Amino acid sequence: MPELNANGVRLFYEDLGDPAASRVIGFLNGVMASASSWNGISAPLIEMGYRVVLHDFKGQLKSEKPHGVYTFDEHAAEARALYKHLGIKKLHLVGTSYGGEAAMRFAMLFPEMTESITVIASVSELDEVCCGFVENWKILCGLYDGEAFMKAAAPTLYAPDFMRNNREFISKRAAAMKAVPADYFDGQKILYDTFLTDVTMTDRLKTILCPALIISAEHDILKPPRFSKIIAENIPGSLHLLIPDCGHVAIIEKPKEILTALLGFL
């Protein structure tokens, strides 16, 4: 399992595709996910000749979980350390949810490395509903029961039609969560607190000057499209795309649509 000590933290990463490719994409995970969550989108890009870099943030499944709370600036600095280690001078960043928020912070801090950002189902500020969902996830983590955690979280993550038509998929994913180690839930609680304390950044979005594609999902109840509109309105020259009939985890529900949008943007 490839790992890097990035600014004193052990990060799991994958460096896929042609290492000499001129087009490099860094994928940044949603909070509950790991690098494998991007398989439906990253695999076709590798076939098209892109170099793809994925990693788990500190606190996520395969990376170290030091005591926190963390900051998005730290996530950005650790990602930069990884990219520099791999000899990457500039890349396109694609992040979903927590990863999209990290991508925006990276673009603010390291514009010289940021070719573009694609931000999927993310926020730059909070409301009581979003905070309430995240606080409930912290309570669920305290059970240390992966299957129960995923079953309870699923209605927050997926659109009603997707849940109705993919019961077996959701059941299998919940069952697979039985195997996650206890420290997964400890890391999740730290990441949730990081989100709640550090995600607010609307007033800084105007400093992002690279091309930006902002994607929202029609039936996202966790981070509704209005949050993406706020982001798009505050990043100069950005584009906003709404994915219809889709919940929060758009990269799982609508990978073909996300891939098409990404390729068109790039």
Side-chain angles (χ1 to χ4, degrees), residues 138-176:
K138 288 168 61 179
I139 295 170
L140 289 170
C141 282
L143 301 175
Y144 292 94
D145 182 333
E147 186 171 24
F149 174 85
M150 187 50 60
K151 285 182 176 178
T156 314
L157 305 176
Y158 302 111
D161 283 349
F162 184 84
M163 291 192 66
R164 185 164 42 251
N165 297 327
N166 295 274
R167 290 190 177 94
E168 184 177 358
F169 165 81
I170 293 170
S171 294
K172 285 183 176 179
R173 187 172 183 204

Side-chain angles (χ1 to χ4, degrees), residues 70-176:
Y70 313 144
T71 67
F72 282 98
D73 285 5
E74 290 171 3
H75 287 316
E78 288 149 12
R80 178 176 179 265
L82 169 61
Y83 302 145
K84 290 189 73 173
H85 169 74
L86 297 174
I88 296 168
K89 295 182 178 179
K90 204 161 188 177
L91 77 169
H92 302 278
L93 289 175
V94 181
T96 186
S97 195
Y98 193 95
E101 291 137 17
M104 290 188 286
R105 198 65 65 90
F106 189 101
M108 294 174 189
L109 294 173
F110 309 116
E112 73 284 354
M113 288 190 74
T114 312
E115 194 83 37
S116 73
I117 58 171
T118 298
V119 177
I120 306 166
S122 300
V123 301
S124 59
E125 54 192 64
L126 296 167
D127 67 6
E128 291 304 314
V129 174
C130 184
C131 291
F133 282 133
V134 176
E135 291 289 353
N136 286 340
W137 292 348
K138 288 168 61 179
I139 295 170
L140 289 170
C141 282
L143 301 175
Y144 292 94
D145 182 333
E147 186 171 24
F149 174 85
M150 187 50 60
K151 285 182 176 178
T156 314
L157 305 176
Y158 302 111
D161 283 349
F162 184 84
M163 291 192 66
R164 185 164 42 251
N165 297 327
N166 295 274
R167 290 190 177 94
E168 184 177 358
F169 165 81
I170 293 170
S171 294
K172 285 183 176 179
R173 187 172 183 204

Side-chain angles (χ1 to χ4, degrees), residues 28 35 50 62 74 79 105 134 156 167 177 198 202 215 248 262:
L28 302 176
Y50 284 87
K62 295 181 180 180
E74 290 171 3
R105 198 65 65 90
V134 176
T156 314
R167 290 190 177 94
M177 287 289 289
D198 194 45
T202 299
I215 299 177
H248 180 67
L262 180 58

